[in-house]
Amino acid sequence: QGTTEPLKIVLMSATIDASNFVKYFDPDSKIRFNNMTTNICGESEIIQGSTGNSTVSPYSVSFLQIEGKTNYPIYEYFIEDICQEIPSIVVSGPLPKSRGGRNNAMVQERNPWASADAVKAKYHELGLRINTVNNRTWKLLSNILQRPFQLDVALVCEVVEHIETLEAATPESDTDGRLGSILIFVPGWQDITSVIKGLEMTLKDRRKQRGWARNRAWNILPLHSMVPQKEQMKIFDLEDPHSGRRKIIVSTVLAETSVRNFH
């Protein structure tokens, strides 16, 4: 107010649905989002409204997409892939009922419909294909859908262990001899603590029975707003080449938005 300069509002996000905001500010905008084809608007312009009459848009709305770039190929694996990839994986289902026939009042029951057969039928109904010939995968998916909204620490540890097992069976891909880092996102500080304890116990137990763990060390680092900045910066420290030491960062969404982690 009191200036000739127009007010500019910039909405930025890696995941936001921009089309909702464009339609809100300018319902008759020419910007198209199908196949990311855009017709960028300039200054306020005369456009053809839905009634066929020419109207003046009250806003100048533009849309700009900048493609992301990474230095490494990205592969996406979903829980269905993990269930088939790790033969030993175990996923706990809903909590057993108490003597009165009721679940723990503090834990919300989820998807009571999701029996193994019902999950299989739902996947087929949605056209989702899973290459499996046994009922084990469907049972695991059933447990995942019914288990409470609580972090499955055992599942996280099994996935990390699976990565170690695979890499131990193949030659090192890094020319400098450094092991790749693992970044784990969890909801909160208590979950960070639980995952770190779980990983420490996993490595300790596997050192007693598996070859890869005897020559491996994990540098497990928490990343959270409560961690002092000096400690947070440790995630950027490089591990020594050929040390057998892998960096594992357990973080909340703090790192998801702004941190690029090197090895």
Side-chain angles (χ1 to χ4, degrees), residues 181-193:
S181 300
I182 297 176
L183 178 57
I184 302 170
F185 290 115
V186 297
W189 176 253
Q190 183 59 49
D191 301 300
I192 289 177
T193 303

Side-chain angles (χ1 to χ4, degrees), residues 26-30 45-57:
D26 188 358
D28 295 312
S29 172
K30 294 181 180 179
E45 59 187 91
I46 297 178
I47 57 178
Q48 197 73 15
S50 57
T51 61
N53 299 323
S54 295
T55 60
V56 178
S57 172

Side-chain angles (χ1 to χ4, degrees), residues 87-98:
S88 62
I89 195 170
V90 176
V91 179
S92 57
L95 296 178
K97 294 184 180 299
S98 62

Side-chain angles (χ1 to χ4, degrees), residues 45-210:
E45 59 187 91
I46 297 178
I47 57 178
Q48 197 73 15
S50 57
T51 61
N53 299 323
S54 295
T55 60
V56 178
S57 172
Y59 300 103
S60 173
V61 182
S62 299
F63 172 74
L64 176 64
Q65 177 179 347
I66 302 176
E67 295 292 340
K69 179 183 179 299
T70 62
N71 295 325
Y72 305 94
I74 297 176
Y75 304 97
E76 291 185 336
Y77 295 91
F78 298 93
I79 191 62
E80 295 88 348
D81 304 310
I82 293 174
C83 289
Q84 298 175 84
E85 183 76 15
I86 308 178
S88 62
I89 195 170
V90 176
V91 179
S92 57
L95 296 178
K97 294 184 180 299
S98 62
R99 292 182 179 180
R102 297 181 179 180
N103 290 325
N104 188 332
M106 298 297 293
V107 179
Q108 183 178 5
E109 184 178 3
R110 297 178 60 234
N111 303 315
W113 61 270
S115 65
D117 290 337
V119 172
K120 182 178 181 180
K122 178 60 69 174
Y123 269 68
H124 290 167
E125 176 187 337
L126 297 175
L128 303 174
R129 296 185 178 181
I130 296 182
N131 297 323
T132 181
V133 295
N134 56 53
N135 199 49
R136 174 181 170 276
T137 299
W138 300 115
K139 179 59 178 174
L140 289 174
L141 292 176
S142 171
N143 285 348
I144 291 168
L145 286 170
Q146 293 188 72
R147 66 173 280 108
F149 273 126
Q150 296 176 341
L151 180 67
D152 192 339
V153 176
L155 178 60
V156 173
C157 294
E158 286 220 49
V159 172
V160 173
E161 182 182 351
H162 182 66
I163 293 172
E164 290 285 12
T165 303
L166 287 180
E167 292 199 357
T170 57
E172 286 189 35
S173 58
D174 289 337
T175 56
D176 61 3
R178 291 189 177 94
L179 296 169
S181 300
I182 297 176
L183 178 57
I184 302 170
F185 290 115
V186 297
W189 176 253
Q190 183 59 49
D191 301 300
I192 289 177
T193 303
S194 298
V195 170
I196 290 177
K197 290 181 179 178
L199 289 172
E200 291 173 343
M201 290 299 300
T202 296
L203 185 61
K204 181 179 179 180
D205 292 341
R206 296 304 177 262
R207 278 176 174 165
K208 301 176 182 178
Q209 50 185 289
R210 300 195 180 185

